[in-house]
Amino acid sequence: MVKQMPGMSGMADFSWMIVGIAAIPSTVVWSWWANKAGYIQPLITALILQACGVILPVCLPNIIGVTLGSVLFGGTFMGISMLAIAAARMVSRSGGSKSIALMTGFFGIGQILGPIGAGTVLEVAHSYSMSLILATLVLVVAVTILITGAVISNQKGFAFMKTH
């Protein structure tokens, strides 16, 4: 997408370097916050920040949008995996093995279907923007599911949001 932006073709490889640099401290930061607040609040925040990072280059197709989007994506993607696995382990009565296995399986399916879907959308729309919009919507759905689950579990007395 960055290569297709006017005057930004040289920024494409640089944007992935920014993603990698932002990823380096991310698990330490997210882990620190999870130790203070539990896993759900940081996970919701990370998903929201990632959604912002994914949609930013669409809304702001310039060096600022690409750079900030790269920082937000890089700073969240490993943290989301770590927090989600820890949350699955936390809510499972059996130590989380089945939950983690299911999450890993669905993640793998998503890693396969996501690029296929994005490629199909790219062929039809002739733009990466629609793929990024759809990816953002998936992240918003994930946030909605997490918040709904947290509210329901809190109403049932499980204190899901604060347990770690």
Side-chain angles (χ1 to χ4, degrees):
M1 177 180 180
V2 176
K3 286 182 180 180
Q4 294 178 350
M5 292 178 180
M8 294 287 295
S9 64
M11 179 73 179
D13 293 335
F14 183 66
S15 67
W16 283 110
M17 289 173 35
I18 294 169
V19 169
I21 291 167
I24 292 169
S26 68
T27 55
V28 173
V29 171
W30 292 111
S31 180
W32 173 82
W33 188 14
N35 286 329
K36 301 284 185 201
Y39 295 100
I40 304 305
Q41 290 172 334
L43 182 56
I44 290 169
T45 302
L47 287 165
I48 291 169
L49 289 173
Q50 187 171 87
C52 292
V54 169
I55 199 67
L56 207 55
V58 175
C59 299
L60 207 65
N62 58 33
I63 194 164
I64 294 169
V66 170
T67 302
L68 189 53
S70 297
V71 168
L72 290 173
F73 181 75
T76 57
F77 78 93
M78 290 189 338
I80 288 169
S81 297
M82 178 199 66
L83 292 166
I85 288 171
R89 184 174 291 126
M90 174 191 71
V91 298
S92 177
R93 292 186 181 132
S94 64
S97 297
K98 288 181 184 178
S99 299
I100 292 168
L102 281 171
M103 288 178 62
T104 303
F106 282 116
F107 182 79
I109 291 167
Q111 289 294 94
I112 294 167
L113 294 180
I116 292 170
T120 303
V121 170
L122 177 61
E123 278 186 38
V124 171
H126 303 292
S127 169
Y128 287 97
S129 295
M130 186 56 68
S131 293
L132 294 177
I133 291 167
L134 291 173
T136 302
L137 291 174
V138 168
L139 291 165
V140 169
V141 168
V143 168
T144 303
I145 291 168
L146 270 172
I147 290 172
T148 302
V151 168
I152 290 169
S153 69
N154 280 340
Q155 288 173 348
K156 291 182 177 181
F158 295 124
F160 191 55
M161 292 285 281
K162 295 181 183 169
T163 305
H164 62 285

